[in-house]
Amino acid sequence: MDNARYMASPIGHRARPPLREFDLIRSLRRLCAGRDASVRRGIGDDTAVTAGPPGLDLLLTTDLLAEQVHFDRRTADFPDIGFRSAAANLSDIAAMGGEPKYLLIALALPNSATARQVRGLYRGMMAACRPHHVLVIGGDVSASAGGWFIGVTAVGTVERGRALLRSGARVGDAIYVTGTLGDSLAGLALANERIGRAGRLPRTAILPARQRRFLLKRHLRPDARVTVGRWLVRERLATSAIDLSDGLSGDIRHLCEESRAGAEIDTASLPLSQAGLAYAEATGSDPAKMALTGGEDYELLFTTPVRLCGRLERAARRKGFHLTKIGTIKPARFGVQARWAGGLKPLPVTSYRHFQSPRGES
């Protein structure tokens, strides 16, 4: 579908409005609406949820990665591209608190593709799958008129009725994230510098090699937080969850829309790694804005009732999980706001959205 604007012609044609990613998803959700007792959750979450074997629900998700949109072969080799392709889907299963089981891979390859490149892609996928005992069980291969296209479908399971949906947050719940934020954004900027193209952040100054390697790895080989998601479900510690694939400023809004709630984010609490902080200092970037903007960290954002926060944090320390409380769920009329040093302000969407430039939109 052509989503570019065009100029009005003398015969009165008007400029076509641009596609808006989430408006499109909402319209397709309405178009595909239907009732079936086996479907627990359809369009609108990290995965679909359907009835599975006795005592279990099936989790089903798919992602399409397009060259020059999701990856650039000048900044990532094929094993890294494969790893990230698999990790994105494993992260969706993790966000539901599920256990990933299988992947199916569909490829569209340009004429220049080689068997060696495809094997490298699959080696990266298997490296992401192996720690979680996930099997690649099928797929499809086709020719592409231009560029590489990688379609990954993941299948997982979760205890029946226990999937962590985006719609489960309640007013008063605490908002937590795993790990650190903004690392992938910094890693992408470093990768782009290799080909002489600065990313959205300023070009780095002098940064130690160890910190460069850390940030690049966080971008090229992100960890899907499957273990944490499974733990949250087993211990009944979370009311909702989403993975941070597009960026915190956008993903918190998705969770709030599904939960019909608002949120207050404390920017002073946003967790950054030492390498991320060093990058921010070296480039004059605002660390909080890095954390809010950066996508593809694939950390989990989840909500927990206040009465369980103490138990959650004590148990996380024992297990070595890095969790940070970053805010509170508010009534819907509150909207999505961020607390800065100067007070509360509406949180604009500065994370990635297809078909448009999202910077600064609210």
Side-chain angles (χ1 to χ4, degrees), residues 44-102:
D45 232 292
D46 285 284
T47 78
V49 185
T50 71
L56 295 174
D57 285 330
L58 284 180
L59 304 175
L60 305 153
T61 185
T62 189
D63 275 321
L64 175 64
L65 290 88
E67 187 174 359
Q68 297 302 322
V69 176
H70 299 94
F71 61 90
D72 187 333
R73 291 196 287 129
R74 295 174 298 175
T75 62
D77 61 23
F78 281 96
D80 288 334
I81 294 167
F83 191 103
R84 291 180 71 242
S85 300
N89 283 262
L90 299 177
S91 182
D92 284 336
I93 300 288
M96 309 297 286
E99 181 178 356
K101 295 288 190 179
Y102 310 112

Side-chain angles (χ1 to χ4, degrees), residues 29 63 65 102 113 120 133 141-142 157 200 221 224 240 247 311 323 332 357:
R29 185 176 181 176
D63 275 321
L65 290 88
Y102 310 112
H133 310 290
V141 178
S142 174
T157 60
R200 294 189 181 276
R221 299 238 168 177
S240 68
R311 176 183 160 195
L323 307 181
S357 173

Side-chain angles (χ1 to χ4, degrees), residues 5-347:
R5 289 183 181 273
Y6 58 89
M7 299 299 293
S9 73
I11 59 174
H13 285 220
R14 294 182 179 179
R16 183 184 305 170
L19 276 178
R20 300 176 69 89
E21 180 184 359
F22 296 106
D23 288 345
L24 177 63
I25 292 172
R26 280 188 284 270
S27 71
L28 295 177
R29 185 176 181 176
R30 291 191 295 269
L31 182 65
C32 299
R35 293 185 178 275
D36 188 306
S38 67
V39 178
R40 317 287 195 206
R41 180 69 170 171
I43 297 171
D45 232 292
D46 285 284
T47 78
V49 185
T50 71
L56 295 174
D57 285 330
L58 284 180
L59 304 175
L60 305 153
T61 185
T62 189
D63 275 321
L64 175 64
L65 290 88
E67 187 174 359
Q68 297 302 322
V69 176
H70 299 94
F71 61 90
D72 187 333
R73 291 196 287 129
R74 295 174 298 175
T75 62
D77 61 23
F78 281 96
D80 288 334
I81 294 167
F83 191 103
R84 291 180 71 242
S85 300
N89 283 262
L90 299 177
S91 182
D92 284 336
I93 300 288
M96 309 297 286
E99 181 178 356
K101 295 288 190 179
Y102 310 112
L103 293 189
L104 294 97
I105 313 299
L107 300 178
L109 309 177
N111 289 336
S112 59
T114 67
R116 181 178 180 181
Q117 290 171 333
V118 175
R119 285 195 295 269
L121 188 76
Y122 271 74
R123 280 197 296 272
M125 291 177 181
M126 295 312 301
C129 290
R130 204 167 290 119
H132 308 294
H133 310 290
V134 174
L135 301 177
V136 175
I137 61 170
D140 189 28
V141 178
S142 174
S144 164
W148 287 66
F149 295 86
I150 306 166
V152 183
T153 297
V155 181
T157 60
V158 68
E159 291 80 357
R160 181 154 296 172
R162 300 275 298 281
L164 295 174
L165 306 180
R166 298 178 183 181
S167 56
R170 298 293 178 261
V171 173
D173 284 356
I175 304 170
Y176 284 85
V177 293
T178 62
T180 54
L181 306 180
D183 293 330
S184 181
L185 182 64
L188 175 61
L190 290 172
N192 282 332
E193 286 185 0
R194 292 175 171 178
I195 57 174
R197 185 186 71 215
R200 294 189 181 276
L201 295 179
R203 186 181 299 275
T204 62
I206 297 172
L207 201 64
R210 175 178 53 83
Q211 293 180 335
R212 285 178 175 269
R213 287 194 299 270
F214 173 85
L215 294 172
L216 283 166
K217 183 178 179 183
R218 285 279 283 153
H219 175 65
L220 296 171
R221 299 238 168 177
D223 291 326
R225 302 300 186 186
V226 174
T227 303
V228 179
R230 294 293 299 136
W231 171 68
L232 291 172
V233 162
R234 285 196 303 268
E235 300 299 321
R236 300 177 183 267
L237 290 169
T239 53
S240 68
I242 187 172
D243 77 325
L244 295 178
S245 53
D246 293 332
L248 175 59
S249 70
D251 288 327
I252 182 61
R253 189 167 268 99
H254 303 330
L255 186 145
C256 286
E257 286 175 355
E258 293 297 324
S259 292
R260 299 182 180 180
E264 179 180 330
I265 301 298
D266 180 9
T267 60
S269 298
L270 297 174
L272 279 90
S273 65
Q274 289 301 312
L277 288 168
Y279 178 90
E281 183 177 0
T283 59
S285 304
D286 184 330
K289 290 182 179 177
M290 282 176 54
L292 290 167
T293 299
E296 297 185 331
D297 284 315
Y298 294 111
E299 298 294 349
L300 299 185
L301 181 150
F302 64 93
T303 57
T304 295
V306 170
R307 61 184 173 79
L308 296 181
C309 287
R311 176 183 160 195
L312 171 82
E313 293 176 11
R314 289 190 298 271
R317 284 194 293 270
R318 288 195 300 269
K319 289 185 169 292
F321 297 151
H322 183 185
L323 307 181
T324 304
K325 181 182 175 183
I326 63 166
T328 305
I329 294 295
K330 297 287 189 177
R333 63 180 178 276
F334 183 87
V336 179
Q337 300 194 60
R339 182 170 295 281
W340 301 86
L344 279 172
K345 295 180 181 178
L347 180 64

